[in-house]
Amino acid sequence: SDGPKQSPAPNCVYSLRAGGVLVEEAAYDFPSYPNGLAFSPNEKQLYVAVTVPSPAGIDVFDVAPDGGLFGRRVLARSEAFSFVDGLVVRPSDGVLLAACWDHVTLLDPTSGTTKVAPLPSKGANNLELAHDTLYVTAGDGVHILSPAALVAPALSVPELSAPQGALGGVGFAVLVAAIFGARSRARAAPKFLF
């Protein structure tokens, strides 16, 4: 026996290195904690959602060739990131999209500009992009934001209406499987709920 296994410490960001070695890269002091993670399109930066304290926001790390992290810094802190959870990066322009309880915050990491796209319900926690359409899981199901709602952060966002024929009760794993299946074959864009 190798002895008792220790669980990783909470409130930390880890990397998994060659040979399955788990390395603590950064610790956050309670009550702060890292949450969603996303890599930049070139995979040279790792973005980390910092859910608490208020204002919450996004930290960024540089990624070393061996997968280690260094150069931790604050990218953004504002009320636009209240209850930030899941993150995804739009590959076409590197804009970060963050699930933030009752809205999605878009952040251009180059200019620092942000934009908020309100959601018709609360509890947004995970999101995924497919064909420039954003799927967001929330307390009452899945919301779909069209590309028009996800324009550059400097532009205004039209008010969004409540979902029509919501996909309530769809499990996130099923949603992700459907999205990845859609990515693997050409098909018409989905019908937008907004």
Side-chain angles (χ1 to χ4, degrees):
S1 163
D2 295 325
K5 302 270 185 196
Q6 288 190 338
S7 296
N11 298 351
C12 296
V13 174
Y14 295 88
S15 65
L16 188 60
R17 304 287 181 87
V21 176
L22 188 65
V23 176
E24 181 181 307
E25 298 287 353
Y28 286 79
D29 294 327
F30 183 81
S32 293
Y33 62 93
N35 206 333
L37 304 171
F39 285 99
S40 63
N42 65 8
E43 298 184 355
K44 292 186 177 184
Q45 283 84 34
L46 175 69
Y47 301 108
V48 178
V50 180
T51 301
V52 176
S54 185
I58 309 294
D59 285 355
V60 62
F61 294 82
D62 295 311
V63 180
D66 69 352
L69 303 176
F70 65 98
R72 173 178 158 187
R73 57 206 176 273
V74 172
L75 180 64
R77 292 280 189 276
S78 84
E79 293 304 319
F81 294 101
S82 62
F83 297 102
V84 65
D85 198 337
L87 292 178
V88 68
V89 174
R90 191 164 50 197
S92 60
D93 57 9
V95 167
L96 276 155
L97 297 105
C100 299
W101 188 246
D102 63 355
H103 63 275
V104 172
T105 300
L106 288 82
L107 168 66
D108 181 339
T110 304
S111 68
T113 56
T114 59
K115 178 179 102 170
V116 172
L119 294 171
S121 66
K122 298 182 184 327
N125 56 13
N126 287 305
L127 38 95
E128 179 61 52
L129 275 170
H131 306 290
D132 287 329
T133 298
L134 185 68
Y135 298 83
V136 183
T137 60
D140 66 347
V142 177
H143 299 285
I144 301 173
L145 278 71
S146 69
L150 302 174
V151 293
L155 302 177
S156 63
V157 179
E159 285 297 313
L160 301 176
S161 61
Q164 312 268 322
L167 300 172
V170 175
F172 189 66
V174 173
L175 174 67
V176 170
I179 291 169
F180 283 109
R183 284 182 174 171
S184 67
R185 63 186 181 282
R187 65 179 209 137
K191 179 180 177 188
F192 301 133
L193 298 181
F194 297 113

